[in-house]
Amino acid sequence: MASVIAPRLFIVAYLLTLAHHFVLGEKQYTAYNYGFDVHRRVRRQFAQPSTMIVMGNAATQAGDVQVRREIRELEQDREVWTLYLLGMSMMQFTDQSSPTSWYGITGIHGMPHQTWGGVRPTPGNEETGYCTHSSILFPTWHRPYLALYEQVLSNVIRMIATWWPEDQKQPYVDAAKRFRIPYWDWATYPPSGGSVLPMSVGGSPFVDIDGPSGVQRISNPLFSYTFRPLNTTAFRQAPWNTWSETLRSPTNWGPGAQSNNSMVAMTIDQNQRSLSQRLYILFSNYGNYSRFSNNAWIPFVNNASYDSIESLHDTIHNLAGGGGIGQLNIRGGHMSFIPYSAFDPIFFLHHAMVDRIFAMWQTLYPQSWVTPTTAVLNSYTTARGQVQDSRTPLTPFFADANGAFWTSDSVRDFTKFGYTYTELTDLASPRKAQAGVRRAINRLYGASSPANMFLRELRAQGIKGGRGRGGTSRAGQQSSQHSPAGGVASNMEGAVEGDSYREWIVNIRAKKQALDGPYSIYFFFGTPPSNKEDWAQAENHVGTMGVFAADGAGMGGMMEAMKELEVSGTVPLTTGLIKAVQGGELEGLQPEEVVRFLRERLVISVLGPEGREFGVSEVKGLKLSVGSFRVRLPGSEDELPVWGEEEGTFDLV
Ligand SMILES: *[C@@H]1O[C@H](CO)[C@@H](O)[C@H](O)[C@H]1NC(C)=O
Ligand SMILES: *[C@@H]1O[C@H](CO)[C@@H](O)[C@H](O)[C@H]1NC(C)=O
Ligand SMILES: *[C@@H]1O[C@H](CO)[C@@H](O)[C@H](O)[C@H]1NC(C)=O
Ligand SMILES: *[C@@H]1O[C@H](CO)[C@@H](O)[C@H](O)[C@H]1NC(C)=O
């Protein structure tokens, strides 16, 4: 129910603020006016080279580890929230030539392909950014990147806190100490009546702030970043050289485009169940770092493990930027294109979530780590074909004043940067820590998982009440709130055998640039609705995989490598199959019945750039197969399902 109401509330609020925006015409919201020239002070403070050494908060508060909170939770902490918005705004209004300005920090990732901290590109890689994608270093490279951003923002915030009048400043000075960057949990159920996309991020282009000089209306630093100035030499191609601020789900591809955040909110809400299922499976079935970490398809590594944290992360980029799943005729905004994505303020919220997932995963699988792997894409300092390992420098992130860089090994313990996550605070013993993480995973992401549906049903029948203490499980409670499936197992002959049941998954391999732009592969049971606009919400829609690609212009020096790059991903089918049984379309969940049903009824269609439909055979290099796994049900809320080997695989294409 919540997911139906949520987008409407979001749209109403969003339209109200936009109406206000248009009434004001071309009025540009500004920075906070502190009553003196703040930028002179900021420049003086950050001119020292030491501000470019990444220490996180450890530099100023050694040993002080604070929790990174979910953005909605941070919003409840009034002083911290005020400082957070003022700090981001300050970074965004700092001269773009400063390496610690918003432009300087976000420009490390991709565009404008400029040197940061004097770390030069290796020959032939001048036209790329420093970020490592489809690489074994994907999760570890982004860790010191976030720590750098957190450090710069914290420094700014600590300074701002001292600008309140003497008798008011103490709460802000204290708040600055507990500030850590927030993450945005895009996989959990949003608070009732809300969208997965927080109002603070997409609801309004301005925000009223009660700062050191009283309440003022300023430009909302979470809504977009405005380039000051837009560098049309660096951003050579349209539309990037015509858009003066970052856009989400742009209303068109021309110079006058606006963000449509209500479209973003709606499509993310439609995909939330699938995102949370994929995350739940990553936590329970991807215990090997090589498989978990990145989306590159590498024969022998990826067999039976097509998904990855990077592939799931790609889907969020497409949903937040627009032009992805469920958005026909819309080409994406900044977040949908790797080289431009980091400028959008939602980027760091998203990546803090990715880092949190990685940190939780590390707690569950402490033995598995970076193994030497050949790079399939180049970056500013990496050539294709080069072997990357746990000691490869994560450029341009300096670890000390002598020019040494952080490495995957040295960022493995992230608490040295002065942060942790709520789920990881119970570190008394590794076993307790793991149990705490599993409980959190069940509570936050378990509800849509078939494992929890079966478990609930078995408990209701009194078959499996013993170990989990029946309905007292938090996973169970959340499931019954949100899950559509009542009475799952009663007509599920053959689904559950003893302690286990069977999961069905489509495995997908695709060439990233097959259609020269982002595309989505849709799966239905039976014929899709004739109107493509209705596809994502259709009753018989079982899932979609989005491929995060680039247009030719956006790829720069990665073009050649991107053309050959194969990526992989998955679409879970089990929940859809359960629905088909409940709807009387499918007799039962015996493997023979399921295979026959899938062969007869599974319809696959591809939507390419601008909503053009393609048959599967028209997409070069697309390979699809179905695999099944026996999965052992968790015995308590401290456990995750245990996945067996992949069995009974058959090819679709
Ligand atoms: C704009 O970008 C070009 C090319 O990257 C660079 O040489 C120039 O300094 C930039 N101009 C400004 C004002 O930043
Ligand atoms: C924004 O998206 C919504 C769908 O969520 C749509 O109804 C509306 O027309 C769009 N607005 C613009 C200006 O395109
Ligand atoms: C993995 O895939 C490769 C081809 O991509 C195949 O040759 C190999 O036999 C597979 N290995 C397993 C264990 O399935
Ligand atoms: C993880 O997968 C890689 C690649 O298949 C393999 O070399 C490595 O041994 C695996 N690690 C573990 C702990 O199984």
Side-chain angles (χ1 to χ4, degrees):
M1 203 53 200
S3 60
V4 179
I5 298 167
R8 279 202 224 123
L9 281 183
F10 190 98
I11 288 169
V12 171
Y14 171 75
L15 289 180
L16 283 177
T17 54
L18 264 201
H20 184 93
H21 191 54
F22 289 127
V23 170
L24 287 174
E26 287 301 294
K27 177 166 165 42
Q28 285 281 316
Y29 299 100
T30 57
Y32 193 84
N33 180 0
Y34 294 88
F36 57 89
D37 181 4
V38 290
H39 289 286
R40 270 226 340 264
R41 294 203 199 182
V42 174
R43 260 199 306 279
R44 213 169 336 135
Q45 177 108 358
F46 299 118
Q48 298 112 13
S50 66
T51 57
M52 295 171 80
I53 301 167
V54 185
M55 303 300 292
N57 277 273
T60 44
Q61 298 160 255
D64 181 22
V65 177
Q66 298 277 340
V67 167
R68 284 185 181 168
R69 287 175 275 179
E70 213 277 332
I71 180 166
R72 291 178 172 88
E73 193 190 330
L74 196 78
E75 212 171 329
Q76 306 306 314
D77 188 339
R78 199 182 64 85
E79 285 89 9
V80 174
W81 183 252
T82 301
L83 287 168
Y84 171 55
L85 294 181
L86 286 174
M88 280 181 83
S89 175
M90 179 78 79
M91 280 180 74
Q92 293 181 1
F93 280 88
T94 297
D95 192 316
Q96 290 190 160
S97 65
S98 160
T100 53
S101 65
W102 188 266
Y103 190 76
I105 298 286
T106 56
I108 289 172
H109 190 258
M111 280 292 186
H113 302 156
Q114 70 190 10
T115 295
W116 193 88
V119 183
R120 308 279 312 150
T122 45
N125 297 317
E126 295 82 1
E127 292 299 309
T128 56
Y130 290 97
C131 71
T132 53
H133 287 273
S134 303
S135 154
I136 198 82
L137 306 180
F138 169 77
T140 53
W141 184 88
H142 287 84
R143 178 164 283 170
Y145 189 27
L146 287 161
L148 171 65
Y149 167 66
E150 186 166 62
Q151 159 184 319
V152 170
L153 189 50
S154 299
N155 283 338
V156 172
I157 280 174
R158 266 192 292 273
M159 182 168 57
I160 294 173
T162 63
W163 294 343
W164 263 269
E166 204 55 47
D167 59 333
Q168 292 169 32
K169 73 164 64 154
Q170 199 53 46
Y172 292 94
V173 171
D174 294 342
K177 290 185 189 144
R178 59 179 186 272
F179 170 77
R180 295 294 182 274
I181 55 171
Y183 63 89
W184 163 44
D185 192 340
W186 33 251
T188 197
Y189 287 87
S192 95
S195 165
V196 173
L197 182 70
M199 281 303 290
S200 57
V201 175
S204 167
F206 61 82
V207 61
D208 294 327
I209 289 278
D210 189 3
S213 310
V215 178
Q216 293 178 19
R217 176 157 292 180
I218 65 167
S219 164
N220 180 0
L222 291 166
F223 189 82
S224 69
Y225 170 63
T226 299
F227 298 97
R228 295 185 188 84
L230 178 68
N231 186 336
T232 51
T233 315
F235 297 180
R236 278 181 292 262
Q237 315 279 347
W240 315 110
N241 60 5
T242 68
W243 287 346
S244 61
E245 66 178 315
T246 56
L247 298 177
R248 303 180 192 136
S249 242
T251 47
N252 59 64
W253 197 247
Q258 300 265 330
S259 280
N260 189 343
N261 277 280
S262 75
M263 171 77 93
V264 174
M266 199 175 82
T267 46
I268 292 182
D269 291 344
Q270 280 163 2
N271 283 279
Q272 181 265 332
R273 267 173 211 283
S274 152
L275 299 173
S276 96
Q277 270 189 68
R278 281 175 66 188
L279 182 55
Y280 194 74
I281 295 173
L282 277 176
F283 278 130
S284 39
N285 190 33
Y286 284 73
N288 182 317
Y289 180 89
S290 298
R291 297 172 175 184
F292 169 79
S293 59
N294 73 94
N295 67 9
W297 168 264
I298 301 166
F300 305 105
V301 173
N302 300 64
N303 299 27
S305 64
Y306 285 69
D307 213 354
S308 62
I309 180 65
E310 187 181 9
S311 195
L312 182 54
H313 136 282
D314 285 359
T315 306
I316 308 301
H317 269 277
N318 271 352
L319 290 168
I325 304 160
Q327 301 189 5
L328 303 182
N329 310 317
I330 290 196
R331 297 165 83 178
H334 293 76
M335 269 293 274
S336 303
F337 292 85
I338 295 176
Y340 293 94
S341 58
F343 296 119
D344 187 324
I346 206 171
F347 174 92
F348 279 117
L349 287 166
H350 168 37
H351 271 277
M353 169 70 172
V354 172
D355 187 68
R356 168 174 167 270
I357 293 168
F358 179 34
M360 290 165 75
W361 183 93
Q362 282 183 269
T363 307
L364 296 180
Y365 307 102
Q367 311 301 337
S368 191
W369 195 238
V370 178
T371 50
T373 307
T374 305
V376 295
L377 278 187
N378 49 331
S379 80
Y380 208 56
T381 60
T382 332
R384 265 169 94 193
Q386 180 183 329
V387 174
Q388 298 176 311
D389 63 26
S390 64
R391 288 182 301 185
T392 302
L394 303 174
T395 58
F397 307 121
F398 296 111
D400 62 34
N402 302 323
F405 294 105
W406 288 101
T407 64
S408 298
D409 281 344
S410 64
V411 302
R412 194 167 182 174
D413 171 11
F414 47 87
T415 58
K416 66 176 65 157
F417 291 121
Y419 74 86
T420 185
Y421 299 97
T422 313
E423 294 77 15
L424 305 175
T425 45
D426 190 8
L427 293 174
S429 73
R431 275 189 53 191
K432 275 183 101 170
Q434 291 181 347
V437 169
R438 291 198 193 99
R439 262 197 308 279
I441 293 166
N442 276 321
R443 176 168 52 84
L444 296 168
Y445 312 116
S448 309
S449 151
N452 283 303
M453 292 185 191
F454 284 121
L455 201 57
R456 200 168 55 252
E457 183 62 25
L458 292 179
R459 281 173 178 157
Q461 295 178 11
I463 297 171
K464 205 174 163 76
R467 278 197 283 163
R469 288 257 151 250
T472 59
S473 144
R474 274 141 105 199
Q477 278 170 19
Q478 179 147 26
S479 305
S480 48
Q481 240 173 356
H482 294 290
S483 160
V488 179
S490 38
N491 51 354
M492 292 282 142
E493 286 292 306
V496 180
E497 269 173 43
D499 250 7
S500 64
Y501 73 101
R502 194 172 285 278
E503 284 263 2
W504 298 85
I505 282 179
V506 184
N507 295 320
I508 301 157
R509 274 168 69 181
K511 289 233 180 211
K512 223 169 165 46
Q513 290 302 130
L515 298 181
D516 248 341
Y519 60 101
S520 302
I521 309 156
Y522 279 78
F523 297 86
F524 300 92
F525 291 154
T527 316
S530 53
N531 184 358
K532 283 179 258 167
E533 307 274 348
D534 299 332
W535 278 17
Q537 294 118 290
E539 271 295 303
N540 64 343
H541 173 227
V542 268
T544 307
M545 149 128 172
V547 180
F548 181 36
D551 58 349
M555 285 189 285
M558 289 199 290
M559 180 112 63
E560 280 310 305
M562 289 273 278
K563 285 218 164 103
E564 287 168 33
L565 182 62
E566 267 192 280
V567 295
S568 62
T570 63
V571 169
L573 295 176
T574 318
T575 311
L577 291 167
I578 293 172
K579 257 173 70 183
V581 173
Q582 287 168 337
E585 277 178 275
L586 169 61
E587 294 262 315
L589 291 174
Q590 296 283 6
E592 315 76 63
E593 291 171 313
V594 171
V595 171
R596 197 180 331 119
F597 178 78
L598 290 176
R599 286 197 190 280
E600 283 169 9
R601 302 280 291 159
L602 189 65
V603 175
I604 307 157
S605 202
V606 179
L607 284 186
E610 282 143 86
R612 250 191 76 201
E613 189 177 344
F614 294 82
V616 169
S617 56
E618 293 174 89
V619 184
K620 261 223 183 92
L622 186 59
K623 296 192 179 64
L624 303 168
S625 63
V626 172
S628 85
F629 300 77
R630 286 217 69 80
V631 180
R632 206 174 74 225
L633 291 166
S636 77
E637 67 195 53
D638 287 359
E639 292 176 21
L640 292 177
V642 179
W643 287 60
E645 290 296 309
E646 184 165 34
E647 311 165 5
T649 307
F650 65 93
D651 289 341
L652 293 167
V653 201

